[in-house]
Every structure is written in C-alpha cells, then in structure tokens.
Amino acid sequence: MNALPNATARRDDGAAVNIDAMLRRELKIGDPRDPQQVAQALALRYQSQPRAQAIAGEARGLPFLHTPIPRGPETPPRVATDVDLEQARDDVRLDLEKLVADNLNKDIRPELEGWQTVLQRAIDEGVAAARFGLDPHKRDTAFAMRRQLGDYARLARLIGALTPALNRCFRNLAMSLDEVSSVLLVLMGESMANIGFAGGRFLLQTPYAELQARRDAVLNALRMLEGVGSTPSSSGWPRGLRAYRQLSLVLESRGQGDLRSLMNEAELARTMDELVQLASGNTPHGLRAIGATAWAPLNRMQRFVYGTLRQVAPSSSELATLHEALMLFLDGFAPAGGFRLLRISRPTVLNYGLYGSANISAAERRLMELVNRRGMLARELDCLTDCVHDRDTVLAQIVYDKLLYCIDRAIDYYSVGDADFGLPEARAAAFSHLIDACLPTHWPWSWRGPSGTDPATLIQPPGYIPQVASAPARIAAIRAHLAAIAQLLRPTEGAGVTYLDTVWWDETASGYRALLEENKAWDQQPTELRFPKVVRDELVVARRADREWYALVSQMTAGCIGADDALREGVPTAPRTGCLTLVLDRALDDVREKSKGKADGALLLEEPSVPMHIEEALHGIGTSVKKIADKF
C-alpha cells in the first residue's frame, strides 16, 4: 500500500521536470519557478502581439484601447537572384507551352502535359526549401528537387537527340531546367549569407524540431530504465532496475560521479536543453555558439555511453534503448556538409575578407572550377547537333549529355561534402571513370561484352563515341573540357597535371590507386563501406537508371535512330549494345581492372533477406534433431 503513493509522487516529479524543461527551452530562462523571469520572458516572446503592446502601453500610462501599433516591415526590395528565378520560371513555362502546342508532338501531348504539372510542382517545392538552407531537412529537399529537375533535363535532351525535328525545342527546355537547378544552389547559399553565416562552418545535421523529439526519447528511455515508464518490460523481469543499480555502483566505484549524475532525469534534461536551446531557430549565432561550446556536454554524454556499454549482466533492453537514444541525440550535433554552397552562390570577389579566403580548401577550389567547367561544356554541347544529325553525331550527343548530367551530380556531392576526399567526393570520383570511357586516349578497350560476347561482333568505340568528322573543333573542345573535369574529380598523374595535383588536391594519384587496389574502408561509418564498392555502386545506379528509361524513351520518340541505339542491353542473341550501356559497362570494367577485381558484383538489385518466423525456425530445428535421433 505504501508503494503506490511513492510511484505516484515519482510520476508527478517527472511531469514537473518536463514542464520545467519546456519553460527553460521555449522561454530561454534559467529558473522556471521564478515568476519575474517567466513574466519577462513572456513579455519578450509576445511583444509583437497587439494585446501585449496594449498591456505595455497601459503600464506607461497610455489608454489601453488607444495604444499605437507600429507598422509592419515593408516588403524587402527584389535582388538579382529573384530576377534570375523569375526569368528561369518563365523560360520553363514558355518552353513547355511551345512543346505542348507543337503539332509534331500531338502523339505525346498527354505526356508533355504531365511534365508541366510535375515540373511546376518540383520547382515550387525546390524554391520553397532552398530559401531555408540552414535547415538540414529543407536543404535535403532542395537537393532532391534539383536532382529531379536534372533528370527531366537529361530526358528532354535524350528525346530531342532522337527526334531531330524537335531537338532544339527539347534542348531549350533542358537549358531552362538547368537554369532553375542552378538558381536553387544559389538560393541555398544566399539563405546562409543573408543571415550573416560567413564566419562559421558548423551546420546541424538535424533540425530543431527533431532534436527536441530525440531529447524526449532519451528522457523516456531513462524513465524506462528507472522503472517508472508507462511500458513494462516484456519479460516481466526487472532487468532495467538491475541495470540501473549496477551502473550506479560501477560509476561510483570508478569515481565517475559526473557521469552518474546523468542518470538523474533533471540533470540529463538540463544538459540536453542547453544544447537544444542553442540550436533553436538555426540562427547563425546559435550555430557558431554550438560549434564553440557543444564539445563539453557532448563529450560528457559520449563518455557516459562508451563507459557504460557492456557493464551490466544480464544485458538489459532498457539500457540498450537508452544508449541508442543518446547516440541518436549526439548524432544530431555532428557537423553536416553544406558550407561550400557559399562558395558557388556568392561572387568570387567577396571571398577576400568577407568569406575567409585564407580558409578556402582544395575541395572548395575544385568545386568552384567544376561549376565553371560545367557551364563551358554545356555551351559546347548545345550546338553539337544543331546543323548535323548523322548517326555518329547523334550518338555522341547522347553520350556527352549523359556526362553533363553526371557532372551535375558530382557538383551536388561536392556541395554537401566537408572533406578533401570523403564519401561524397568518392562518389563524384566515380564519374571520372565514365569520362575516361568516352575519351579516345583510352581506346582500344579490353572489354569483352556481356556474357563473354566476342568483341568482333560489337560495334567498336568509333561507332558509338565517334570522332565526329563534321565538327572536329567542337569535339576537340568538348574532350578538352571533359579531360579537365576528370582531373578535378580524381587526382591524376602524368604529363601536364602537376599543377592540378599540387593546387586542387590534397590527395595524390598514388593514394587514389591505393584506395582502389587495397580495398580501403572509411572510418566512422555505420556500415563498412569499401572504396571500390562505393565507386562501382555509383556507376551501377547510373546504369540502372538508364535501363528504367527504355520504355519511356521508346514511347516518346519515333525517329530513324531509336531508343535501342542508346539504351539497348547487349545479349548473346542481340550483340549490338546501346551507346550508353556500352560506355557504362566500359567504365565499370575500368574500375574493376584498377581495383584488381575488388569492385565486382551483380548489376541488379539484390532481394532483401527476410528471416523466417521463430515458429518456423523452431520447427526446422526440431525436425533436424528428430532426423539425427532416428539415425541412432
């Protein structure tokens, strides 16, 4: 009978702790039980409300109903990016209207009308998300919409190349979509610059609302460990209470009282609230404060997690839940990539002083040069098939458009990276092998084709990635840009690249070869990721995306050069392979050869492994035991 009041009192104490924590977090006060602090915080929070202004005016002796209300802020003037965005939107709208109204597109008009709806929605969502670049979820959404627009741009280029009569109209649409995609990157960078985020490099991986949810999950897990949670242990045994008691004794015997204090709900809530309050609103001052002060409480909680792992017997699911909840909360304060967006969104001339020219890393230099090279390459490609539509030129256009799309994805990877050659930069490096497959300096090939197909039955590179005789100067310029971009995506050795190695790269060409040949893995990853597999998987994803487009491209084109010439899979019964499939297979073969066979595997998705039910497993074990017993 005495246990019930005690349990009720503990639940009441937990509710009071939650209310105090909420007041500290939302009102930014130190003592939630001080009415003066609460009153001042409420007045500050609601100072823009008419009723609060009336109360303040009455305190100054003004009539309550005649308190002057200040006028709202005027609409900020338009800036250059707003003009660029409006023009890019209008370009997309006009290009789509022209395609829909063209009589040559009467057979695919429903598909183009669907494009109008989807593209307009994607642009709206991307712009709305890009204006809040400090929010990690909004930033991820903006990149997702940018990739979707890039997919449609490449699809428009592919359909235009296979439909010569409409090539220019489809390429104009692709150019307009590229304009919108570029503006999205600029908007994300300007959203940081507009609020003064120029001197810090700390960006949260998790938005404020999710940090709050993770904080509540930690406190709920601690209550479960103490035995006052609402959900009892599934086994009925007090494993959580035993783990709580054992941890208290272990930490006491080690003299780690500072860690044992984190097993008190009030102290743990206060420690987490300090961090969450700094992250409130994702303001630049708060982010810079987190980068300078969060290390102390984060280190304390990390020591608690690693110091209490595997310290109790028997193991407790409640303690494991607390560990996972704490690590999830700590992961939210790991710095995220995205600071490089400032480099490509702000004028280069402002890098001196305003945006820390002394701190420009080699990877940031590569990103800035990559953006410039991408624009020059796109200008050359847009004119390749304007005058000539022979088979070789069209197939070359298709392959080079694929490379342009991959370069855009490389820019995305570099924009969110934070290391000279981390995981995003390695995924970007995969596209350099695809560029190699399109440069004549890498012919002839040792590739043997799918299923051991005889090379003599395949059309050789000059038929698929041709040396176009009708535009030798333009092809030479395109290949020069591609060669330079390949050197920006991975460190290269040889004549004429010393400058790139010393200025653009901290990594060396020999180091890159070692990453492939020695099957190196990244540290601090939730799963073991091997370098060759990461590079290969990126190329496999690109190949699989092309395969999924085959039916759509076949439906929307009806020219003398069909979808088979671009996307067909090579099989023994039909050895002729599409140009895109051939190039990607050669790139995969190149990675496999450079990694000495470590980057090998199936090109299709593997089915997920689903374990059998426990009843089926027990039945199988029983059957096996019975068979063994029958033998004896």
Side-chain angles (χ1 to χ4, degrees):
M1 295 297 294
N2 295 332
L4 182 59
N6 292 336
T8 304
R10 296 186 72 177
R11 283 195 294 271
D12 292 341
D13 291 342
V17 169
N18 286 338
I19 294 174
D20 290 349
M22 182 191 68
L23 292 175
R24 289 192 188 96
R25 182 178 64 255
E26 299 297 334
L27 299 182
K28 311 296 188 300
I29 57 177
D31 184 5
R33 301 183 183 276
D34 185 349
Q36 188 68 24
Q37 292 187 33
V38 174
Q40 292 177 356
L42 287 172
L44 181 63
R45 184 185 183 93
Y46 298 104
Q47 60 181 341
S48 61
Q49 299 295 325
R51 187 173 180 83
Q53 294 172 0
I55 294 174
E58 187 179 28
R60 296 194 302 267
L62 299 174
F64 184 83
L65 297 178
H66 297 87
T67 302
I69 299 177
R71 297 177 58 187
E74 296 182 359
T75 303
R78 299 177 66 191
V79 295
T81 308
D82 296 326
V83 178
D84 295 337
L85 177 60
E86 183 178 347
Q87 180 178 345
R89 282 177 178 270
D90 289 341
D91 289 346
V92 172
R93 177 180 55 81
L94 293 174
D95 290 334
L96 283 170
E97 289 176 354
K98 183 175 181 179
L99 284 172
V100 171
D102 198 314
N103 186 53
L104 296 176
N105 287 326
K106 59 181 181 296
D107 293 331
I108 59 172
R109 186 162 296 159
E111 288 84 352
L112 294 175
E113 290 174 348
W115 282 23
Q116 280 184 308
T117 303
V118 173
L119 288 174
Q120 185 59 52
R121 186 185 306 121
I123 293 173
D124 292 340
E125 292 180 6
V127 170
R131 294 190 185 278
F132 299 92
L134 275 179
D135 187 297
H137 278 184
K138 296 291 187 182
R139 194 164 61 246
D140 293 342
T141 301
F143 274 109
M145 293 301 102
R146 171 177 155 81
R147 180 160 190 146
Q148 183 174 338
L149 293 175
D151 289 337
Y152 273 96
R154 187 192 159 218
L155 182 59
R157 287 187 171 97
L158 178 56
I159 294 173
L162 296 175
T163 313
L166 295 167
N167 182 37
R168 177 44 55 186
C169 294
F170 276 102
R171 294 196 74 84
N172 285 340
L173 173 61
M175 292 168 60
S176 300
L177 292 175
D178 286 347
E179 293 172 5
V180 177
S181 299
S182 300
V183 172
L184 291 182
L185 282 182
V186 175
L187 284 176
M188 283 189 281
E190 285 192 344
S191 67
M192 302 177 188
N194 288 342
I195 55 178
F197 191 76
R201 286 178 174 264
F202 187 92
L203 291 175
L204 283 176
Q205 290 188 1
T206 307
Y208 170 73
E210 188 171 336
L211 284 177
Q212 177 60 33
R214 295 184 182 187
R215 173 256 185 206
D216 295 339
V218 172
L219 295 181
N220 184 60
L222 180 61
R223 296 189 195 106
M224 295 292 299
L225 185 66
E226 292 178 331
V228 297
S230 58
T231 304
S233 174
S234 58
S235 64
W237 291 94
R239 297 184 185 274
L241 285 174
R242 171 169 288 188
Y244 186 87
R245 180 171 62 85
Q246 290 180 351
L247 284 183
S248 297
L249 295 175
V250 168
L251 295 176
E252 174 65 23
S253 63
R254 293 177 178 176
Q256 294 178 318
D258 61 322
L259 300 183
R260 190 174 67 165
S261 64
L262 291 177
M263 299 176 65
N264 178 273
E265 183 175 344
E267 174 61 17
L268 183 58
R270 184 198 63 78
T271 303
M272 291 189 295
D273 286 341
E274 288 182 357
L275 296 170
V276 175
Q277 286 174 13
L278 289 174
S280 177
N282 253 352
T283 63
H285 294 292
L287 292 176
R288 293 173 69 174
I290 289 177
T293 61
W295 59 271
L298 290 177
N299 178 264
R300 182 185 177 195
M301 287 189 283
Q302 287 171 348
R303 287 192 297 116
F304 176 82
V305 171
Y306 296 122
T308 56
L309 287 173
R310 294 180 294 276
Q311 297 298 315
V312 300
S315 58
S316 167
S317 61
E318 292 84 0
L319 180 58
T321 302
L322 177 62
H323 284 153
E324 289 294 333
L326 275 171
M327 287 189 287
L328 182 63
F329 180 80
L330 295 174
D331 290 343
F333 290 91
F339 179 80
R340 292 175 185 168
L341 288 168
L342 284 171
R343 300 301 184 200
I344 58 178
S345 65
R346 307 303 297 154
T348 307
V349 68
L350 297 182
N351 284 333
Y352 178 74
L354 289 180
Y355 295 100
S357 60
N359 296 324
I360 297 180
S361 65
E364 291 170 351
R365 292 192 187 96
R366 296 200 301 273
L367 174 59
M368 296 163 66
E369 181 67 16
L370 191 61
V371 171
N372 293 332
R373 287 281 185 176
R374 189 268 178 204
M376 291 186 285
L377 175 64
R379 282 191 291 272
E380 296 289 346
L381 292 180
D382 287 335
C383 302
L384 184 59
T385 53
D386 273 352
C387 302
V388 181
H389 296 288
D390 61 89
R391 177 188 178 83
D392 284 351
T393 307
V394 170
L395 294 180
Q397 180 81 76
I398 292 172
V399 171
Y400 292 143
D401 287 341
K402 170 71 174 181
L403 296 182
L404 184 67
Y405 171 82
C406 292
I407 292 168
D408 283 333
R409 304 289 70 79
I411 291 173
D412 291 348
Y413 285 137
Y414 265 85
S415 296
V416 299
D418 58 358
D420 180 70
F421 203 62
L423 192 53
E425 292 80 10
R427 293 191 177 278
F431 301 128
S432 67
H433 296 274
L434 188 57
I435 293 176
D436 288 348
C438 302
L439 296 178
T441 54
H442 295 267
W443 301 340
W445 289 91
S446 61
W447 185 70
R448 290 295 180 268
S451 303
T453 305
D454 185 359
T457 64
L458 298 171
I459 294 180
Q460 295 303 305
Y464 274 95
I465 313 146
Q467 300 179 22
V468 183
S470 58
R474 192 171 301 281
I475 289 295
I478 290 173
R479 287 172 178 165
H481 289 311
L482 289 175
I485 290 172
Q487 294 176 9
L488 291 171
L489 294 180
R490 81 167 190 260
T492 309
E493 60 185 353
V497 298
T498 305
Y499 175 71
L500 290 176
D501 280 346
T502 57
V503 175
W504 303 110
W505 284 98
D506 293 339
E507 184 63 78
T508 62
S510 59
Y512 182 83
R513 284 201 315 273
L515 290 173
L516 281 175
E517 295 175 0
E518 299 175 15
N519 204 24
K520 293 287 186 67
W522 275 274
D523 298 330
Q524 299 178 350
Q525 294 293 330
T527 57
E528 189 178 77
L529 294 174
R530 298 288 177 175
F531 186 86
K533 188 176 186 304
V534 168
V535 174
R536 175 191 173 277
D537 286 350
E538 193 64 32
L539 295 174
V540 170
V541 169
R543 191 183 189 280
R544 190 180 300 127
D546 288 349
R547 167 184 276 180
E548 294 172 353
W549 280 8
Y550 180 82
L552 176 61
V553 174
S554 300
Q555 176 184 351
M556 298 186 68
T557 57
C560 58
I561 302 176
D564 284 348
D565 295 302
L567 302 170
R568 187 174 190 173
E569 295 282 338
V571 294
T573 57
R576 174 185 256 172
T577 306
C579 59
L580 293 176
T581 305
L582 183 62
V583 169
L584 282 162
D585 283 341
R586 286 172 175 163
L588 286 167
D589 188 61
D590 183 38
V591 174
R592 188 184 303 112
E593 181 179 350
K594 284 183 170 61
S595 65
K596 301 186 182 304
K598 297 180 179 66
D600 204 354
L603 297 178
L604 300 177
L605 284 173
E606 298 179 0
E607 293 291 334
S609 177
V610 180
M612 63 177 64
H613 291 289
I614 186 171
E615 293 85 358
E616 296 177 351
L618 292 175
H619 176 72
I621 294 173
T623 302
S624 301
V625 171
K626 185 176 183 301
K627 289 181 179 179
I628 294 173
D630 290 342
K631 291 182 179 180
F632 297 96

